[in-house]
């Protein structure tokens, strides 16, 4: 005996709930950058929260945020240990001895779990520092998507020489 099956589409204004409003679906860039921002909320650095998402073929391969190595005290539990380095142009950069940057953590997580990231793209809440950029070049990242600029002038020459693309994707976070 056949069942009576109602054919209403619960996802359309005709067959759905009263007051249904159609929300715009996130595009891939918005989606991955939003994930990077969410990941950044796990960061333990007291100076800034950065999140990174490694992606290939619209699939998330690995994520990372800035913080201390696993099992070691984080900056939000102790004090930051800052060191200063001077760029050839004379500008001084400050970094924390304890913190691993989000990009490196994402790469480390992929390596730990045996996930190839060759020819992947990365979404980062801030453009990479020169040290992270060198590693991203070496692991085969083709495009770096970032939200907020961070000392882009320091990485311009490496980007030009490597052919890695740097693309700003800004998303409004709720």
């Amino acid at each position: 005996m056949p069942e009576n099956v109602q054919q209403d589409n619960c996802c359309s204004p005709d067959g759905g709930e009263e007051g249904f409003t159609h929300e715009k679906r996130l595009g891939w860039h918005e989606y991955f950058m939003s994930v990077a921002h969410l990941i950044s909320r796990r960061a333990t650095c007291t100076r800034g929260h950065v999140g990174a998402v490694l992606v290939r073929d619209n699939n998330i391969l690995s994520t990372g945020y800035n913080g201390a190595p696993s099992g070691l005290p984080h900056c939000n539990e102790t004090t930051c240990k800052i060191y200063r380095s001077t760029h050839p142009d004379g500008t001084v950069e400050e970094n924390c001895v304890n913190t691993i940057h989000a990009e490196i953590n994402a790469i480390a997580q992929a390596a730990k779990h045996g996930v190839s990231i060759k020819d992947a793209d990365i979404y980062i809440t801030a453009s990479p520092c020169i040290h992270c950029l060198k590693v991203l070049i070496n692991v085969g990242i083709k495009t770096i998507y970032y939200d907020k600029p961070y000392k882009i002038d320091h990485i311009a020459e490496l980007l030009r020489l490597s052919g890695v693309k740097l693309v700003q994707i800004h998303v409004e976070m709720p």
Side-chain angles (χ1 to χ4, degrees), residues 26-167:
L26 289 177
W28 288 114
H29 292 307
E30 294 169 302
Y31 170 67
F32 293 126
M33 190 58 75
S34 296
V35 170
H37 278 282
L38 180 63
I39 298 297
S40 76
R41 294 175 61 189
R42 290 273 309 151
T44 59
C45 178
T46 56
R47 297 174 54 207
H49 290 197
V50 178
V53 180
L54 284 162
V55 174
R56 186 175 49 240
D57 299 327
N58 291 333
N59 289 291
I60 294 174
L61 303 174
S62 182
T63 65
Y65 52 86
N66 53 331
S70 296
L72 299 181
H74 293 280
C75 292
N76 63 356
E77 300 167 347
T78 61
T79 57
C80 278
K81 297 175 185 164
I82 303 299
Y83 69 91
R84 290 174 179 79
S85 57
T86 305
H87 284 269
D89 68 3
T91 59
V92 175
E93 182 153 338
E94 294 183 340
N95 287 288
C96 178
V97 173
N98 294 337
T99 297
I100 299 174
H101 289 186
E103 304 92 318
I104 304 303
N105 268 329
I107 291 166
Q109 284 300 308
K112 182 178 181 177
H113 297 287
V115 176
S116 171
I117 57 172
K118 185 178 185 302
D119 298 327
D121 296 330
I122 191 166
Y123 289 78
I124 318 168
T125 56
S127 58
C129 72
I130 195 165
H131 306 294
C132 288
L133 176 59
K134 290 184 281 187
V135 175
L136 293 171
I137 291 167
N138 265 14
V139 299
I141 300 302
K142 298 300 178 197
T143 305
I144 299 167
Y145 297 99
Y146 72 98
D147 189 347
K148 297 191 175 24
Y150 174 78
K151 299 185 180 182
I152 290 182
D153 51 323
H154 290 165
I155 62 173
E157 182 68 5
L158 276 179
L159 287 168
R160 186 184 67 74
L161 292 171
S162 68
V164 171
K165 292 186 279 184
L166 184 68
V167 180

Side-chain angles (χ1 to χ4, degrees), residues 163-174:
V164 171
K165 292 186 279 184
L166 184 68
V167 180
Q168 188 171 25
I169 302 288
H170 180 70
V171 295
E172 292 298 323
M173 297 305 296

